[in-house]
Amino acid sequence: MMMPPQAKVTGTLMVFSLRITVILAAVTKAQETMGSFENKSILIVGAGKMGKLTAAQLGNKGLSDIFIMNRNQDKAHDLALQINGKVVPSWDIKG
């Protein structure tokens, strides 16, 4: 049975909202633990949806470097370009 269009949109918004909530909770916990992110570096493992959302949340925190590691080097490179980050090779990640 087909879902009405509004149900599809609501479901998508709920998933997006949950992703943002998880990322914000992780960033908040990291700040509580580490203090300010000023002049610190971070490694984001994964350049998919969650990696992109995480990078977006960290973009204005004053980090000195954001490193991206992903099995697919092209995706890592694309995200690094978007956020002025750096790609870290992932030779040891098994897929």
Side-chain angles (χ1 to χ4, degrees), residues 5-27:
Q6 65 272 18
K8 288 182 183 178
V9 170
T10 302
T12 301
L13 291 176
M14 285 184 66
V15 170
F16 182 76
S17 178
L18 288 173
R19 288 179 181 158
I20 291 293
T21 302
V22 169
I23 292 166
L24 287 175
V27 169

Side-chain angles (χ1 to χ4, degrees), residues 29-75:
K29 184 64 175 174
Q31 282 184 303
E32 288 173 2
T33 303
M34 298 171 50
S36 170
F37 285 154
E38 290 284 323
N39 300 315
K40 292 183 178 151
S41 300
I42 194 162
L43 170 66
I44 297 174
V45 179
K49 292 176 186 175
M50 294 295 280
K52 289 176 184 176
L53 290 171
T54 302
Q57 289 299 314
L58 293 170
N60 63 350
K61 300 291 185 191
L63 291 160
S64 61
D65 291 300
I66 299 177
F67 296 99
I68 308 295
M69 179 185 286
N70 195 62
R71 286 179 292 186
N72 182 314
Q73 290 293 96
D74 291 335
K75 285 185 179 181

